[in-house]
Amino acid sequence: MLEEKNDNLHEADGKLGIDITDSIQENAIDETLVTETTAENPVSETETLAETTTNTEEDDHQDALDAITNSNAEESEDETLKERHDIPMQDYDTFSLDALVDELRKLIQTDKVMSVKDHIEEIKKSFLLQYNHLIEEKKEEFNASKQDPNEEFEYHSPLKSKFDEYYNVFREKRNVHFKHLQSNLKTNLENRLAIVEELKELINPQENIKDTLKHFNDLRERWKNAGAIPKDKYNHVWNNYHFHVENFYDYLHLDREARDLDFKYNLEQKQKIITRVEELANETDISKAFRELQDLHRIWKEDIGPVSKEHRDVIWNKFSELTKKIHDKREVLFESQRANEQQNLEIKKEIIGKIEVLGTEKVNSHSQWLIQIQKVEALRNEFFAAGKVPSDVNEETWSSFKTAVRNFNAFKNSFYKDIKKDQNDNLNKKMALVAKAKELQESIDFNSTTPIMKQIQEEWKQIGHVPKKYSDKIWKEFKDACNHYFDKLKEHKSEENQDEVTAFDNKKAYLDILRAYQLTGDHKTDLDAIKQHIEIWKGYGKVPFSRRHIEGKFNKILDALFEKLSLSKKESEMMRFSNRLDTLSESNDTRKIDNEKIFIMRKIEEVQNEIFQLENNIQFFTNTKNAKKENSIVLEVRKNIAIHKESLDVWKDKLKQLRNLNQE
């Protein structure tokens, strides 16, 4: 019978014993240690450890064991939490609003919703922190610039809308997951309780040991795959299960040889775990080592059975010592992180101090305030990029930062309140120009309207800033009115271009006729003929700007005819000037007309000064004793005076014609 039991036990050995690599993948969950019992004295590993170690030694290890137990217990209800370790937790406080929204978009695409839950909540916290700060700034700007006291503050951010959209997707997924989870938890609990009931009935001396072992292994496999159960039932159900597993081992211990084989196999598996933990103790990635240590604790407690009493305390003490070593290294890592947080705190305090200083520096121009604002914005970005600070001072630090920025904004707004009146005056001026531009935009009197439109454009440039809320609106209205008019002007000029080309062709042909013209010798007849030529020339109209050299050729022919006609100098000069005025008038170039007017007025002043000087000279000569001897000189001076007075009359007539042209 013993031999038959031994054979049956060896046949089932592959099911009772657990391969270390397979067990790591299965990650069975428990927060209690699997007990190792004997038939004479059923005692758990934790109880044995308490008997063989002092209370002080137990306290030294308890923190490490509690850290493992608590981490595993947290993941017991929802197995999707196990995947969370695959996604590194980043310092989301250093992300910009755009980067946070983009990161949220990526995370919600995973099917393992609970594996990213903590990440998304951290993103939400960081986003709202920055966004609420932005809203406060916008509200302060609004209150400083609003015109109507009844106007309500509103601010819409497409970025916030995107964030809400993505977060709602996560929330829906999470709700669906929880509903599914609750249903599964209830079913899984019922399955596990049924397995415990079957374990109770497993001890039956009448049954063949081979069938009993097979049934036992089937129950263990079903238990392993039964899934998570509610947290409040977790300890009770697990303890019941292990109690009846221990009872089965006690029953199995009646066959000592078979029991020893099982003890030996379990010892080998636990030694393999210890070997792996020794390797993890030298792992540079402490977080990775701790996560794998969690899995090894699950396997130690849940998948591997007890060992013989003589090895029980030794191997457990070795395992707990190595656990404490990794836990201590993890605590050192946390201490380093806390040191970094303290360093970040000092950086943020320094940034807050700089903002406080900027909140007291007086500047007196918009351009200088823009520089100050850029400095605060740069410091603001540095603050968010500085990383986390100790949690116990996080709220205090954030409050100090908000106060410093708020004080700066209040200081800045006091400056802009002083210039608000100027901006409102500028607004009224620009609105008047908008009205004027709209009034003229349909005008077809291009010669008179174009200079006015150009003038109001120049006036617009000279007017300063207007309140920001009106700036874009009035600029669009003004630009649209101006563009409408100048588009019409462009179309008009396109139509005129063909007429100008025709005028050039006609004038070019007429030059040949004029060159062949011969005077008759009769002064009046010839003068009338020349005037007729001038009128015909004018009748052809304007020529293209690039071909206005033809006017110079026409004037040269006229000059030659005037010389042959022997006109008086004044008459000849006035006819030439009249022709020039016609050319200026056709060009519609007010700048050239104004320049011509200035030139003539200067010439009049020069001639008058010259006449005054000559008349003074005559007085000098006539007052001398030898005046009779100087008659030839005096006569020459008087002749010059007469010439200058004749020239003065010509210039005055030209000015008169020019003024008449302006009046027309």
Side-chain angles (χ1 to χ4, degrees), residues 489-623:
L489 176 62
K490 185 177 180 181
E491 292 176 4
H492 174 70
K493 286 186 175 181
S494 297
E495 294 173 359
E496 285 186 334
N497 284 341
Q498 186 56 47
D499 294 337
E500 291 178 358
V501 171
T502 302
F504 173 78
D505 293 338
N506 291 336
K507 287 187 175 183
K508 184 178 180 183
Y510 194 72
L511 281 180
D512 295 334
I513 297 174
L514 198 58
R515 288 190 186 102
Y517 173 72
Q518 296 294 328
L519 296 176
T520 64
D522 181 73
H523 182 82
K524 184 176 183 307
T525 302
D526 290 338
L527 181 59
D528 290 341
I530 291 174
K531 289 181 178 180
Q532 182 65 29
H533 286 309
I534 293 174
E535 290 301 319
I536 294 173
W537 184 269
K538 290 180 181 178
Y540 289 137
K542 291 193 300 182
V543 299
F545 183 82
S546 60
R547 301 183 182 184
R548 291 200 174 167
H549 60 276
I550 198 171
E551 300 292 340
K553 294 181 179 181
F554 175 70
N555 288 330
K556 284 183 179 180
I557 296 175
L558 284 184
D559 289 343
L561 291 174
F562 287 144
E563 288 179 7
K564 292 179 182 180
L565 192 60
S566 300
L567 286 176
S568 68
K569 184 175 181 182
K570 178 179 180 181
E571 190 176 11
S572 174
E573 185 70 23
M574 291 308 298
M575 290 186 70
R576 291 191 186 97
F577 183 72
S578 178
N579 188 54
R580 173 172 172 76
L581 279 188
D582 290 338
T583 303
L584 287 175
S585 178
E586 290 175 0
S587 69
N588 197 30
D589 191 334
T590 56
R591 183 180 59 83
K592 287 186 177 181
I593 294 175
D594 290 341
N595 289 341
E596 185 72 18
K597 183 179 178 181
I598 293 171
F599 173 75
I600 293 174
M601 293 175 69
R602 286 177 179 172
K603 294 300 292 185
I604 290 174
E605 185 179 0
E606 289 176 7
V607 174
Q608 286 177 335
N609 290 336
E610 188 67 24
I611 292 172
F612 178 76
Q613 184 65 42
L614 289 172
E615 289 177 343
N616 282 341
N617 291 342
I618 287 177
Q619 291 179 3
F620 173 77
F621 287 121
T622 56
N623 290 334

Side-chain angles (χ1 to χ4, degrees), residues 172-183:
E172 287 296 323
K173 284 187 173 183
R174 184 185 60 187
N175 291 342
V176 170
H177 172 80
F178 279 143
K179 289 179 182 178
H180 181 70
L181 179 63
Q182 291 301 318
S183 175

Side-chain angles (χ1 to χ4, degrees), residues 469-484:
K469 62 186 296 185
Y470 302 110
S471 178
D472 292 342
K473 179 177 180 294
I474 64 170
W475 165 242
K476 184 178 185 305
E477 291 181 9
F478 181 72
K479 182 178 67 172
D480 289 347
C482 291
N483 287 346
H484 181 80

